[in-house]
Amino acid sequence: MQTNLRIPLWGVCITLLMLALGCGIGPNTARAASSGEVIFRVAGSEVTKLDLDHFQRTHRLGSVRRLRMPGAVIVAHTSDISATLASLKADPDVEWATIHRRVELADTLPNDPLFANQWQLRNTGQSGGTPGADIRAPAAWDLTTGSASVILAIIDTGTELTHPDLAGRIWVNAGEIPANGIDDDGNGFVDDVNGWNFYAENNNVGPVLGHGTNVAGLAGAASNNGIGVASPNWNSPLMILSCFAPEGFATEADLAEAIVYACNNGARIINGSWGTPGYSLVLRDAIAYAREKGVFLSIAAGNFHFDTDAHPYYPACFGFDNLLGVSGSTNRDEWIFNYGRATLGLSAPASGVYFARYPSTYGTGSGTSYAAPLVAGVGGLVLAREPLLDPLQLKYRLMGTADLVPGLSERSVSGGRLNAHAALSISDLGPPEPVQDLSADSIGPSGTILRWSAPPDTGGGPAAFYQLKIAPATDATTEALQQAYPVWKRPSQPGTTEWLLIPNLEPGTTYRVALRALDSAGNAAPFAYATFATPAAATVFDDPCDTTASAWIANGFELAGGDAHSGALSWQDSPGVQYTSGTVAMLTGGPFDVRPLVRPRLSFYLQHFFPNRFAEGDRLEVEASPDGGATWQRLRRFRASLSPLRRITLPLDEVPASPNLFIRFRVIADANQFVDDGVYLDDIRISEGANDVPYTEEVMVETVDFFGEVTTAPECHYTGNWAQDPGKSSAPRLEGGAALVVAAGTSEATARFTPFLPTDGIFRVYVTHGYAANATNVTWTVHHDGGSSTFLRNQQSGDAHRWHLLGEFVMRYGRDPARGSVELNAGTASGVQVTADAVRFELVQPFLGPSSVSHWEGYE
């Protein structure tokens, strides 16, 4: 779809984290990287001139250009992107081919220029902060202030080299003679004295925008010099690599080139305060190159308040051993901006931090753009003290020594905030013991439960982290497992039986998994391996979406080249462009006879890009009709969110079994000016779900959807005069715009939630409430298999950002109000008002017959 999009450029750009606090996202007139460009990689390490000529002739390409990253090639001015991608993907000598995307800045604007105190380094409670909610910099400086031999590369918008707090801090290429027009050191760059400008292809690394100066100042401003501000790292040289245009975007290729340059010219750490919701193959390979060179990357998580477990943001969520995704914290140790319990490593100050700013000044700013360089600077301190640490050890050292605070729980893998002193002072006693008994249990067509015993760390206590990787056995080389998406889990006490759900696998496929424990010092045990095969599932429909199947009627959808899970084509609502205002595009399929299936499931790969504007109605709705299209049931709605290609599985249990089932995908856009990239659909299947692992680890709903329409789904039932209120909870994984509210003590005001439960089992039930709440003695009743349990809870605005556990209960498969529901009663409450916002059901133990497990922890 279109590469010339406004901020944020979902899926076709990388943003440099520029969302202003309290401000909406405005229109963007930035140009595309280049209209019609394709980027691909050739198998092998080098591409010769003869190879380029061969590819041009074979695939009828326009002008082509080799990148400095081995094997990568750009094709310019392709008139038919779909045909070019299809042709290249069919070539056995091509590893991958994709649209060449561009990348934008993602900084937030300063909010208070008078807030002249660096609380992020030492928080004494200034401006209402919590004392100690900082990175413990002064204590760290007692141990080291950094080393001139540890180079930090700042890949950004260029830097003001003459800033009073940056002059003298910039890396100097000792092999280059300035301004002589010669590539003295033979690295392929002429006069690259302080770095390189990959956007302009010259050695001018001065500021294109102020963002790069701000980032450089946060990582390594001159310190203890009587001028301006301090930074975590006083001595590491700053290598400046500029990639961004004045309009605020960069291309994937330029960023990849900068990563390779940094690795080839001595950098130990790279900071990237930019990202994209689109999965970038060229950036993935560039980061793999950095891993091979022993270079660590600190990457900003993004500023959209999304859960990156559900809506990954790249490259922060790539999961490489040498990359740490950094989420944000405030001066009160609360979360801010993107977060991800399974995908991001730790949090660092990102709200109102104070630093050296462009031009030649000082001030505050907010965004994960400013959290990442704090981690990069501290990483440089750790390498100054322990230069032999590899990137994996550094990554886990930073995560394992983070301060665990309640406000950051479930917001990252560590659940904590960066602590520089702890990272420098932890004792290294040796790695944990290896896992001895890894095995797969309850294997189903779409997933399995892994089982093992928790190993001890050196000294006998529990390890700090597990790292688990999975890949099809045909691809399960060490390299493939290194690039596989990781699943994280906190270890239990040694000897405890551990369980982990691995869902969303492909039926009829053999997988290899690798699991190891790591400690807080960054020591890793050897991997333990297990291999298992998922059985084939009975299937009534399976479409790889590479040719137009007769089952489909497309109205506004087109099978086109572009992002796809398999093959070269996918169904798209607007190939090559954005959808338009007022769009209603439909892809309708059927009839399907699902009567042979006991528990039919619909699965498909979906990539969707809708705006981060909760007041908008643009969305994808997935629906089913048991009567040939006469009536429709909504299965799932995707809106106000974004996601790269990932498998979605929806139960059809509540759709009457029929020989005349139809499925419909509808993209619906409201009539205002805001439009986006829409959806990509691939590999659509209807198959058996019986005897499979449950399709998800938890069930969750919000009482009001993203654009103000009170939920009419069968989960929710209300009595009394509830009203909408924008003061919703910000508990993890909630992205809606409002809650329901009623006066405390209002009789007959109840809200009941009855989810569809995917299995019999023990469920942990959590509730949360909105910011508008101010009441005591709110009654919650959980209806479960053993009867009903009642709880009195207070609702206060200060704890509206957390999930509150009611307990664990045996509940039954299906949708049964008597044996699987939660009810809120505002009539018993005292105070001002009660809110009904969200309920979460988390499966703790499924009842799967003789293979029943004692613990279940899921990851979607």
Side-chain angles (χ1 to χ4, degrees):
M1 298 184 183
Q2 174 168 304
T3 59
N4 184 19
L5 307 180
R6 56 166 217 90
I7 295 175
L9 302 188
W10 306 129
V12 294
C13 77
I14 295 178
T15 57
L16 224 166
L17 309 180
M18 281 189 87
L19 183 62
L21 286 176
C23 300
I25 303 176
N28 176 26
T29 58
R31 307 183 313 275
S34 183
S35 177
E37 283 192 343
V38 167
I39 188 168
F40 68 96
R41 189 172 187 181
V42 180
S45 59
E46 297 295 339
V47 180
T48 67
K49 178 65 165 60
L50 288 177
D51 293 331
L52 291 179
D53 293 342
H54 164 74
F55 282 111
Q56 279 186 298
R57 291 194 305 271
T58 302
H59 301 287
R60 299 180 180 180
L61 305 178
S63 61
V64 295
R65 174 171 63 89
R66 286 175 291 184
L67 297 180
R68 296 177 183 90
M69 190 179 73
V73 180
I74 283 182
V75 182
H77 310 302
T78 300
S79 59
D80 189 337
I81 288 180
S82 177
T84 299
L85 287 172
S87 178
L88 286 168
K89 288 183 177 183
D91 191 325
D93 292 326
V94 175
E95 286 190 9
W96 50 258
T98 185
I99 298 169
H100 183 205
R101 297 169 171 87
R102 76 182 191 187
V103 180
E104 293 208 354
L105 299 174
D107 170 35
T108 57
L109 299 177
N111 57 11
D112 186 357
L114 300 178
F115 182 43
N117 193 322
Q118 291 184 280
W119 68 264
Q120 69 268 22
L121 302 180
R122 183 172 183 267
N123 191 337
T124 60
Q126 61 268 51
S127 298
T130 299
D134 55 50
I135 70 168
R136 306 291 197 274
W141 294 330
D142 288 341
L143 301 175
T144 182
T145 56
S147 168
S149 65
V150 180
I151 299 169
L152 307 185
I154 307 296
I155 300 178
D156 216 283
T157 66
T159 295
E160 183 185 10
L161 307 182
T162 59
H163 191 290
D165 250 332
L166 289 171
R169 297 288 293 113
I170 308 301
W171 172 73
V172 176
N173 183 353
E176 201 71 23
I177 300 172
N180 68 351
I182 299 173
D183 179 12
D184 299 287
D185 59 2
N187 69 351
F189 300 85
V190 175
D191 291 337
D192 56 322
V193 177
N194 302 125
W196 194 253
N197 186 326
F198 289 89
Y199 172 76
E201 278 294 326
N202 60 38
N203 69 341
N204 181 5
V205 295
V208 175
L209 296 168
H211 189 271
T213 301
N214 304 345
V215 167
L218 271 160
S223 304
N224 199 34
N225 62 350
I227 300 173
V229 296
S231 68
N233 195 308
W234 298 5
N235 293 306
S236 286
L238 305 177
M239 178 188 290
I240 308 303
L241 303 174
S242 182
C243 291
F244 286 81
E247 296 89 347
F249 70 82
T251 68
E252 294 172 294
D254 285 348
L255 291 168
E257 296 274 68
I259 291 171
V260 172
Y261 178 99
C263 296
N264 291 346
N265 288 275
R268 293 289 307 274
I269 294 177
I270 294 172
N271 186 83
S273 290
W274 33 263
T276 175
Y279 190 98
S280 170
L281 292 166
V282 68
L283 280 175
R284 180 201 67 184
D285 286 3
I287 294 166
Y289 182 87
R291 183 191 63 223
E292 295 163 6
K293 296 293 186 179
V295 178
F296 173 83
L297 294 93
S298 177
I299 302 294
N303 296 344
F304 306 109
H305 302 278
F306 278 164
D307 179 357
T308 57
D309 297 352
H311 311 295
Y313 193 77
Y314 297 105
C317 294
F318 270 132
F320 280 97
D321 291 341
N322 63 321
L323 184 150
L324 185 59
V326 182
S327 57
S329 65
T330 71
N331 66 347
R332 297 174 63 85
D333 267 341
E334 299 289 351
W335 74 279
I336 192 169
F337 305 124
N338 284 4
Y339 61 92
R341 182 174 62 179
T343 45
L344 302 175
L346 83 170
S347 300
S351 177
V353 294
Y354 193 81
F355 48 83
R357 293 192 61 93
Y358 175 83
S360 296
T361 188
Y362 303 91
T364 60
S366 299
T368 55
S369 278
Y370 303 143
L374 292 172
V375 172
V378 171
L381 294 183
V382 176
L383 292 182
R385 192 168 170 85
E386 298 186 58
L388 297 183
L389 285 183
D390 63 31
L392 177 135
Q393 290 173 303
L394 176 58
K395 172 178 179 172
Y396 282 90
R397 174 76 61 87
L398 293 169
M399 290 196 300
T401 55
D403 282 336
L404 304 182
V405 293
L408 302 176
S409 176
E410 296 191 58
R411 302 293 181 175
S412 66
V413 173
S414 69
R417 183 244 314 119
L418 176 69
N419 183 326
H421 178 256
L424 290 168
S425 58
I426 188 171
S427 59
D428 184 351
L429 299 177
E433 296 292 328
V435 171
Q436 299 292 338
D437 53 355
L438 177 65
S439 64
D441 186 30
S442 302
I443 303 170
S446 299
T448 187
I449 301 169
L450 293 180
R451 180 181 59 196
W452 68 93
S453 297
D457 192 12
T458 301
F465 303 102
Y466 286 122
Q467 185 183 37
L468 186 143
K469 301 182 180 183
I470 184 168
T474 53
D475 302 326
T477 61
T478 301
E479 178 72 11
L481 283 172
Q482 285 177 324
Q483 294 188 11
Y485 197 74
V487 179
W488 307 86
K489 189 175 184 296
R490 280 280 191 175
S492 302
Q493 288 296 320
T496 304
T497 299
E498 303 271 41
W499 305 89
L500 184 68
L501 166 66
I502 308 294
N504 290 337
L505 302 180
E506 291 292 335
T509 303
T510 299
Y511 286 92
R512 191 177 188 223
V513 294
L515 176 74
R516 64 180 169 187
L518 301 100
D519 66 14
S520 295
N523 298 305
F527 273 116
Y529 294 94
T531 301
F532 66 92
T534 57
T539 300
V540 299
F541 180 70
D542 192 356
D543 181 12
C545 301
D546 290 319
T547 58
T548 304
S550 59
W552 297 112
I553 299 173
N555 183 3
F557 270 86
E558 181 180 339
L559 201 60
D563 291 336
H565 172 253
S566 66
L569 306 179
S570 61
W571 286 106
Q572 302 168 34
D573 60 276
S574 51
V577 297
Q578 297 171 330
Y579 60 78
T580 59
S581 296
T583 288
V584 178
M586 292 187 292
L587 179 66
T588 307
F592 307 118
D593 187 354
V594 296
R595 290 176 299 176
L597 304 180
V598 176
R599 288 195 59 192
R601 289 180 176 180
L602 169 67
S603 68
F604 49 92
Y605 279 84
L606 170 66
Q607 178 170 282
H608 65 281
F609 299 103
F610 294 114
N612 184 30
R613 294 181 296 271
F614 294 143
E616 303 305 318
D618 300 359
R619 62 200 185 273
L620 167 69
E621 297 193 345
V622 185
E623 301 166 307
S625 171
D627 49 19
T631 61
W632 293 92
Q633 293 178 223
R634 189 171 69 207
L635 303 175
R636 183 81 176 268
R637 175 187 281 164
F638 302 86
R639 72 282 196 202
S641 59
L642 50 99
S643 177
L645 272 166
R646 61 190 308 170
R647 188 178 182 204
I648 304 296
T649 301
L650 304 178
L652 298 173
D653 301 62
E654 295 185 295
V655 179
S658 167
N660 201 28
L661 176 75
F662 275 71
I663 299 294
R664 183 167 70 183
F665 300 89
R666 287 199 302 160
V667 172
I668 303 171
D670 56 25
N672 65 26
Q673 63 179 329
F674 298 114
V675 293
D676 285 276
D677 200 22
V679 304
Y680 302 73
L681 290 163
D682 200 16
D683 293 348
I684 304 171
R685 180 187 304 151
I686 301 175
S687 58
E688 180 61 79
N691 301 315
D692 203 355
V693 298
Y695 62 91
T696 185
E697 87 284 8
E698 64 180 31
V699 180
M700 187 172 67
V701 73
E702 292 181 80
T703 56
V704 175
D705 69 19
F706 287 85
F707 47 98
E709 174 190 344
V710 175
T711 301
T712 57
E715 291 92 345
C716 300
H717 176 74
Y718 307 100
T719 63
N721 189 25
W722 294 87
Q724 295 181 33
D725 188 278
K728 68 175 298 298
S729 170
S730 58
R733 303 201 74 169
L734 294 184
E735 297 163 349
L740 297 185
V741 63
V742 71
T746 301
S747 61
E748 304 303 323
T750 66
R752 188 162 183 162
F753 171 47
T754 308
F756 174 84
L757 299 177
T759 184
D760 292 343
I762 298 174
F763 287 82
R764 189 174 291 142
V765 178
Y766 299 85
V767 296
T768 188
H769 55 267
Y771 282 112
N774 187 343
T776 59
N777 293 327
V778 179
T779 298
W780 291 94
T781 303
V782 180
H783 303 280
H784 50 86
D785 194 52
S788 298
S789 301
T790 300
F791 307 87
L792 290 177
R793 304 281 306 192
N794 297 335
Q795 292 189 349
Q796 303 297 327
S797 60
D799 59 359
H801 60 297
R802 295 187 177 95
W803 288 106
H804 302 277
L805 178 65
L806 295 182
E808 295 182 359
F809 311 92
V810 175
M811 296 185 177
R812 295 300 175 182
Y813 162 82
R815 194 187 305 275
D816 185 347
R819 299 198 296 176
S821 69
V822 177
E823 186 174 9
L824 177 154
N825 187 338
T828 63
S830 302
V832 182
Q833 51 191 9
V834 173
T835 67
D837 194 6
V839 177
R840 185 172 85 184
F841 282 59
E842 183 175 275
L843 188 59
V844 177
Q845 178 180 338
F847 296 160
L848 298 176
S851 60
S852 174
V853 299
S854 62
H855 183 68
W856 180 287
E857 188 168 333
Y859 164 78
E860 184 181 8

